[in-house]
Amino acid sequence: MRRVIVDSAIYRDGRRTDGPADLSDALEQARAAGDAFLWIGLHEPTEQEFDHVSAEFDLHPLAVEDALKAHQRPKLEVYDDSLFVVLKPVLYEPESDRVSSGEVMVFMGDSFVVTVRHGEGAPLAAVRHRLEADPELLRHGPTAVLYAISDEVVDHYIEVAGELQVDLEELEADVFAPTGGKPGNTAERIYTAKRQVLEFRRASSPLATPMERLAAGTVPFVREEAKPFFRDVSDHLTRATEQVEGLDRLLSDVLSAHLAQMGVRQNDDMRKISAWAAMAAVPTMVAGIYGMNFDHMPELRWGWSYPVVILLMAGAVVGLYRLFKRRGWM
């Protein structure tokens, strides 16, 4: 069990204190103190490992099932004895320009917080250290933990959106470059960026409703004075969501522009091919006529026939070249 418990501590009056190793004793101690709460952090527990925790804190079976299976949408569920919140942190990988998401489940109840983390994109250790350095905030109990986690996740959304914005600017520069970039590579990069934005939207967009409910102050186990803090988180989430939706629209525009440019280039290529074919057709036709084995042909035995025909073919080709050049086909 100690393998999946990342950290466990009792917080009283905003200060960390060492509690009993047994979860039941630690929870009883926190409840007996009145102004204390127990915070347990778990990382990817198995069903057997989580059974003990869920039994000690009397967690709802449906919430426990969601916490174990992961791959949940961000949401907020209220049960009789606890509050269950799912958040999806996102992580930007600069080496591959990819966005990956993790999951953080938060159980809140009478004098306890249980956090369950899946994946790597969930910086809960940093959140705990930041809270422990701010006793005034931590005095608000489990509500402060939920706020700090939500704030950290949403603030990271804005950072990742900024990284995606840089990638989009590079794509735009490539698409509108004079050479147009490598056609196949550019299209692949655009579709890859679209997938990253979709992964981002799956994490951020569904979180809007839970944040609005928390900001309204109508959720049990959340203190009334926390409304302004969750409103701030909700505002930041709206900013991140609008930014990623703008990125999605811009990527669609970039893709349309790229496809339009590809069509224009193909038309230019076809015109050039047609022009060269037309210029090659004239000497081919003349040579074909004079290559026929007939005795009675105009100027067939004239001494100047060969150079005259060559000059005629050259003049026709030069004339066609100048015509196509003026019309922009060459």
Side-chain angles (χ1 to χ4, degrees), residues 38-192:
L38 173 65
W39 180 3
I40 297 176
L42 306 175
H43 179 238
E44 297 183 353
T46 64
E47 183 176 355
Q48 293 74 19
E49 292 168 336
F50 199 53
D51 281 345
H52 178 61
V53 176
S54 60
E56 291 293 343
F57 294 97
D58 194 23
L59 304 179
H60 197 278
L62 293 177
V64 171
E65 181 181 358
D66 289 344
L68 290 173
K69 289 185 177 180
H71 303 295
Q72 304 295 318
R73 285 169 55 89
K75 62 180 180 178
L76 185 153
E77 299 286 350
V78 178
Y79 299 101
D80 293 337
D81 299 321
S82 63
L83 178 71
F84 179 59
V85 182
V86 178
L87 303 103
K88 291 183 72 70
V90 294
L91 179 66
Y92 180 80
E93 301 170 4
E95 296 82 7
S96 57
D97 294 336
R98 300 183 68 88
V99 173
S100 59
S101 62
E103 289 187 42
V104 175
M105 285 79 168
V106 182
F107 295 88
M108 284 178 52
D110 180 19
S111 302
F112 74 85
V113 178
V114 177
T115 55
V116 181
R117 179 168 63 93
H118 292 270
E120 300 302 324
L124 293 187
V127 172
R128 188 185 288 262
H129 293 327
R130 191 180 72 184
L131 279 173
E132 291 176 354
D134 189 358
E136 288 298 324
L137 179 60
L138 199 53
R139 285 192 181 96
H140 294 280
T143 301
V145 176
L146 178 60
Y147 159 70
I149 295 174
S150 304
D151 185 56
E152 180 72 17
V153 169
V154 172
D155 284 348
H156 203 57
Y157 284 168
I158 297 176
E159 296 177 10
V160 174
E163 297 287 351
L164 292 175
Q165 179 68 43
V166 173
D167 292 343
L168 176 57
E169 291 172 357
E170 294 176 356
L171 273 174
E172 285 182 314
D174 192 17
V175 168
F176 294 105
T179 58
K182 297 180 179 178
N185 184 49
T186 301
E188 181 181 355
R189 289 175 61 197
I190 294 174
Y191 279 111
T192 300

Side-chain angles (χ1 to χ4, degrees), residues 169 253 311:
E169 291 172 357
D253 293 341
L311 289 174

